[in-house]
Amino acid sequence: MIRIIARKEFTEIVRDGRFMWTAALMVLLLLTAMLAGWQRHSSYMATQAAAQGATNTQWLKQGDKNPHTAAHYGNYAFKPLGPLAFFDNGVTNYTGTTVFMEAHKQNFAIASPAADTSAIGRFGELNGAMILQVLMPLLVIFLGFTAFAGERESGTIRQVMSMGISRLSLLWGKALGLGSAVLMVVLPCVIIGAVFIAMTDLPMVGEGLATRIALLTVAYLAYAGIFLFLTLAVSAWSRSPRTALMVLVGFWAFTAFIMPKTAAEISKAVYPSPPYGSFMADMKAHRARGFDGTPPWAELGKFQGQMMREYRVSDVKDLPFYWTAVRMQRLEELDQRVFDQHFGAVTAAYAGQRRFQDRLGLLAPTLPLRSISMGLAGTDLIQQQKFQDDAESFREAMVEKMNGYLSRAAVSLNGVSSASNYLVANEDVFAIVPPFRYQPPALATTLAEHWMNFAVLAFWLVAAILLALLGVKGMALERD
Amino acid sequence: MLEAIDLRKSYGDHAALEGLNLKVKAGDIYCLLGANGAGKTTTINLFLNFIEPTSGTAMVNGIDVTQSPLETKRYLAYIPEQVMLYGNLTGIENLEYFARLGGHAEYSAADYQSFLDRVGLQANAAHLRVRTYSKGMRQKVGVAIALAKQAKALLLDEPTSGLDPKASNEFSALLLQLRNDGAAILMATHDLFRAKETGNRIGIMKSGRLVQELSTDEVSHADVERIYLEHMH
Ligand SMILES: Nc1ncnc2c1ncn2[C@@H]1O[C@H](COP(=O)(O)OP(=O)(O)OP(=O)(O)O)[C@@H](O)[C@H]1O
Ligand SMILES: [Mg+2]
């Protein structure tokens, strides 16, 4: 019975004039978006690979110099993106792609594509995910708002109900028919996208590509299902198809346009992040006065006494390591506590904002889907954070390695006057710092971070189905 | 086959039906007459369980329609004043869809065509979209749907209003055929002539009450009209 209804529903939808132009528009936009995304992604990745390669070489070929000076010379981390970034570039337009890693300073990621408008071009905003998140619901609504309201207005619903079929079969049949029509439009485009990825020779960043694609498909199907059942519910409830359309388009605008922006604003107000302007100044002042009020020079004095006691020497020049290097490393560690606190506050604020937005997903199903999509594509803030954390770990290791080498290699220079107090290292020494490699979070980590969004999306789907069931149960057969 | 027992339906304090008792047996063509608003459509809607009775029972084949709304509809076919079909489907597609909804998946394409032939739909119209049909053509598809359902009871609500005389005549012939096959037919109509011609029983309704029942073989055309008009005054 359900199949019979579904088939008729599908035939009717496909024959309707609405179908041709909405489907054509959808396919056109989706393919354009994916193509634009693909171009953006390949050019980004080409630039990233070239830049990372160049900076790695630059580090090695920086010319013979003192290892600590080499750490000052520094290194750059360029963020690579997973292949799914072409489908959903998430926040990557607005977050920094590059971190300068140097001694004594933890830096923010800089150079977002949005700041460099020529790089992202006119279609920078356009991507497949956006089309599916914003336009797919509209397609569902346009094809489905007449499902019950239209049959009631034309009177066919009486004829149908006189045949002795249950309202439940009617609902499932219509859901299946409408769903097939929507899939017929969307699925080919998605398959084309998957083929794009399969053909790619770009480096794979992040593991579990097949699982990611499968999960993305499930999430987007659930999202389409939410709108499908909401559309059927409203269509069953509304007095006329026109009312149904108005209610549905209103909800669509709310969830797809108003809420994503509003949710970000609200969450920023609830969990304010430290203003960038004063952030650097505050951190600098904190470094000068010391992490817990003891200034660095005093801490270093204490450290020196401690070292001399430990090694039973009365002069630092008798220490079994190059004192200047160990002292610099100690300073680095003192500073690190300040960096950790200040950058940690920013991270915590972002995390708070994210959790708050996740909860607002109960008001708008676009929010959880958007987060899940970005998460699986590897383009959300969680992954940006991981990139910055990786860069910071790299920086710490780089400085530690250079200072460490110096402390061992220059013991003989202890106590030598500063003019000739200089050890020069070459490429072989710099090579003890391996090239920067971003390790994207494991899929399991991403999923754990997003469990709330999966739960909210599932909640919406169940709620939409329940509403549709209630809708057809109480559905009037007469127009009034 | 169809039975109403003290059937009552009120909308607020307005009673659309006030205690209707009525019985239509297999082989009966029972014509319900009555002025606009007398309660004819209300009666049919109650048999279809499209509306809930305020009190009383409507039975189909001995089964209470409010208890088993889906089962009782298996025995029913319904032809309204305006048969509503899907404009973007062809006549034959509409017929097939409704036949399948009615639980008849066994028909072949030739069967569907022969149903449409039986009700007198032009041969070339079967494959046209129903959007292009005239009212009469839709009505004929409605009858074909009823035939395909092989229903034991037919509920007809002014089914021939708007049909041309020839089609109307053919329709009556079809009804007689169905009756001879043992169907029970309840038809609301304003056509006194056809009620007397086709029906074997006539019920006259006024303000939600059945005020008189007649057997058509005991009265003339003139009698039917006279009695009807007497009640309306
Ligand atoms: N949904 C409704 N709400 C309120 N009153 C209604 C409703 N449906 C029918 N009625 C009232 O019930 C009464 C009977 O209506 P019904 O449609 O059964 O008349 P009818 O005999 O079929 O008339 P007609 O010959 O015009 O088709 C009328 O007074 C009508 O106004
Ligand atoms: Mg009526």
Side-chain angles (χ1 to χ4, degrees):
Chain A
M1 191 59 59
I2 294 172
R3 272 207 2 251
I4 296 165
I5 298 168
R7 218 183 53 195
K8 169 255 160 191
E9 210 64 28
F10 179 81
T11 314
E12 237 200 325
I13 290 173
V14 173
R15 282 188 193 167
D16 193 288
R18 274 176 289 169
F19 184 75
M20 272 312 286
W21 65 265
T22 44
L25 201 67
M26 182 80 189
V27 169
L28 196 74
L29 281 170
L30 202 46
L31 289 182
T32 311
M34 298 226 270
L35 209 64
W38 188 254
Q39 263 174 358
R40 181 185 50 227
H41 180 63
S42 2
S43 91
Y44 176 91
M45 283 304 281
T47 313
Q48 187 273 341
Q52 193 65 62
T55 197
N56 293 344
T57 318
Q58 224 168 41
W59 165 259
L60 295 174
K61 307 275 181 213
Q62 57 179 300
D64 296 354
K65 56 172 72 110
N66 180 276
H68 185 78
T69 315
H72 273 275
Y73 180 82
N75 215 326
Y76 286 90
F78 296 96
K79 187 175 63 172
L81 292 172
L84 287 169
F86 97 92
F87 166 71
D88 189 345
N89 60 357
V91 296
T92 56
N93 269 349
Y94 307 101
T95 51
T97 56
T98 310
V99 176
F100 178 46
M101 304 172 294
E102 57 177 330
H104 306 300
K105 260 177 96 180
Q106 177 169 350
N107 293 310
F108 273 109
I110 50 162
S112 68
D116 177 10
T117 43
S118 65
I120 57 167
R122 198 195 299 253
F123 292 118
E125 296 280 353
L126 206 58
N127 62 61
M130 192 191 76
I131 301 288
L132 287 181
Q133 286 166 23
V134 175
L135 292 186
M136 186 171 62
L138 207 55
L139 179 75
V140 174
I141 291 171
F142 275 154
L143 298 184
F145 74 97
T146 53
F148 291 108
E151 287 219 35
R152 178 165 46 237
E153 189 167 76
S154 73
T156 46
I157 195 86
R158 280 173 67 91
Q159 192 84 28
V160 169
M161 293 320 291
S162 80
M163 304 312 292
I165 60 155
S166 74
R167 290 172 176 227
L168 226 55
S169 338
L170 195 60
L171 174 65
W172 295 127
K174 281 187 181 274
L176 199 60
L178 177 56
S180 317
V182 172
L183 279 188
M184 197 175 80
V185 179
V186 176
L187 214 54
C189 303
V190 173
I191 291 172
I192 290 173
V195 169
F196 262 126
I197 297 180
M199 291 188 330
T200 182
D201 53 356
L202 290 173
M204 293 288 156
V205 180
E207 97 295 19
L209 183 62
T211 318
R212 283 168 195 269
I213 293 177
L215 285 171
L216 275 176
T217 311
V218 169
Y220 277 91
L221 281 180
Y223 183 66
I226 290 166
F227 278 92
L228 189 140
F229 283 103
L230 284 181
T231 299
L232 292 177
V234 172
S235 187
W237 248 317
S238 300
R239 287 171 170 273
S240 72
R242 234 178 43 133
T243 320
L245 185 61
M246 266 160 35
V247 170
L248 287 165
V249 169
F251 176 72
W252 168 78
F254 173 77
T255 179
F257 281 112
I258 298 175
M259 274 312 277
K261 293 216 160 45
T262 315
E265 295 303 322
I266 298 175
S267 59
K268 264 183 213 151
V270 179
Y271 291 92
S273 29
Y276 183 75
S278 57
F279 178 86
M280 285 300 184
D282 288 351
M283 197 161 65
K284 197 170 168 194
H286 195 174
R287 275 174 74 195
R289 76 173 177 270
F291 179 71
D292 42 18
T294 318
W297 57 264
E299 288 278 8
L300 289 174
K302 271 201 296 194
F303 181 61
Q304 179 174 339
Q306 195 185 327
M307 286 292 112
M308 294 199 324
R309 271 195 306 283
E310 192 168 316
Y311 289 93
R312 299 170 196 283
V313 294
S314 53
D315 194 330
V316 289
K317 71 175 192 287
D318 298 326
L319 283 168
F321 42 74
Y322 182 44
W323 166 241
T324 311
V326 172
R327 190 174 174 278
M328 284 189 297
Q329 185 57 31
R330 176 65 186 165
L331 181 62
E332 194 73 42
E333 284 159 17
L334 290 173
D335 285 344
Q336 196 60 49
R337 294 189 295 177
V338 178
F339 297 153
D340 286 350
Q341 184 189 321
H342 286 250
F343 278 91
V346 178
T347 310
Y350 284 163
Q353 290 171 9
R354 217 171 48 231
R355 277 194 303 276
F356 190 75
Q357 280 203 46
D358 286 355
R359 265 176 260 146
L360 287 176
L362 286 171
L363 298 178
T366 310
L367 295 182
L369 177 75
R370 198 180 54 159
S371 298
I372 289 171
S373 179
M374 287 193 289
L376 290 170
T379 53
D380 63 350
L381 276 175
I382 298 173
Q383 327 244 348
Q384 177 71 15
Q385 188 58 49
K386 178 69 165 63
F387 169 69
Q388 285 171 202
D389 291 348
D390 279 8
E392 175 56 15
S393 306
F394 179 92
R395 186 190 77 83
E396 288 166 24
M398 171 185 80
V399 174
E400 200 271 329
K401 281 199 164 87
M402 289 296 101
N403 286 339
Y405 175 82
L406 192 60
S407 73
R408 290 184 301 275
V411 188
S412 60
L413 295 176
N414 262 346
V416 174
S417 73
S418 66
S420 50
N421 181 353
Y422 209 72
L423 178 121
V424 172
N426 61 15
E427 187 177 338
D428 296 337
V429 173
F430 304 145
I432 64 175
V433 177
F436 173 75
R437 259 185 70 87
Y438 168 55
Q439 203 49 282
L443 180 55
T445 313
T446 303
L447 293 181
E449 292 274 11
H450 283 289
W451 74 266
M452 171 85 145
N453 289 314
F454 278 103
V456 171
L457 203 64
F459 160 81
W460 267 101
L461 185 59
V462 172
I465 292 175
L466 286 180
L467 283 177
L469 288 174
L470 282 178
V472 289
K473 241 187 128 210
M475 173 176 60
L477 300 181
E478 314 286 334
R479 49 200 286 220
D480 40 18
Chain B
M1 192 67 214
L2 297 172
E3 188 174 6
I5 303 162
D6 286 330
L7 204 52
R8 240 170 251 280
K9 177 68 189 178
S10 314
Y11 292 103
D13 47 9
H14 170 71
L17 211 55
E18 302 193 56
L20 179 76
N21 284 290
L22 181 131
K23 229 176 189 163
V24 185
K25 291 196 284 293
D28 270 351
I29 298 184
Y30 192 114
C31 296
L32 266 187
L33 301 178
N36 298 127
K40 305 181 294 294
T41 299
T42 305
T43 306
I44 288 175
N45 281 345
L46 283 166
F47 276 114
L48 285 164
N49 194 238
F50 283 174
I51 51 179
E52 290 278 323
T54 309
S55 69
T57 350
M59 312 259 267
V60 175
N61 205 16
I63 305 164
D64 185 341
V65 301
T66 53
Q67 303 292 323
S68 322
L70 293 187
E71 194 195 341
T72 49
K73 281 186 195 119
R74 296 257 153 243
Y75 306 114
L76 295 176
Y78 166 61
I79 305 177
E81 185 179 350
Q82 305 252 11
V83 172
M84 290 305 176
L85 302 168
Y86 299 101
N88 275 333
L89 304 185
T90 66
I92 214 157
E93 284 170 340
N94 269 287
L95 172 58
E96 179 175 353
Y97 178 55
F98 283 108
R100 284 171 179 275
L101 285 188
H104 292 277
E106 73 274 18
Y107 298 129
S108 67
D111 293 331
Y112 290 123
Q113 188 59 57
S114 81
F115 283 125
L116 292 176
D117 292 342
R118 257 179 86 191
V119 299
L121 188 78
Q122 300 91 305
N124 60 350
H127 291 284
L128 295 179
R129 303 259 169 109
V130 162
R131 196 163 6 106
T132 64
Y133 280 23
S134 71
K135 172 171 179 198
M137 291 160 80
R138 278 169 219 246
Q139 232 40 31
K140 285 171 182 171
V141 176
V143 180
I145 291 171
L147 288 180
K149 196 167 179 196
Q150 302 175 5
K152 292 193 163 145
L154 274 78
L155 297 169
L156 314 176
D157 198 354
E158 303 178 40
T160 54
S161 85
L163 287 195
D164 66 53
K166 179 166 166 286
S168 194
N169 194 353
E170 286 165 357
F171 182 76
S172 296
L174 270 171
L175 285 191
L176 290 171
Q177 259 185 48
L178 287 168
R179 183 196 64 183
N180 292 337
D181 294 345
I185 299 172
L186 177 66
M187 172 161 73
T189 181
H190 292 299
D191 188 340
L192 302 185
F193 174 77
R194 224 155 260 299
K196 155 78 177 123
E197 272 307 274
T198 326
N200 59 332
R201 296 173 65 212
I202 288 177
I204 300 175
M205 290 188 74
K206 189 179 180 184
S207 312
R209 289 174 201 280
L210 191 61
V211 289
Q212 185 159 7
E213 289 188 296
L214 304 167
S215 283
T216 52
D217 48 9
E218 292 165 3
V219 289
S220 68
H221 280 296
D223 292 338
V224 174
E225 182 157 4
R226 185 179 46 76
I227 296 168
Y228 178 81
L229 289 175
E230 273 173 17
H231 282 297
M232 294 306 123
H233 285 300

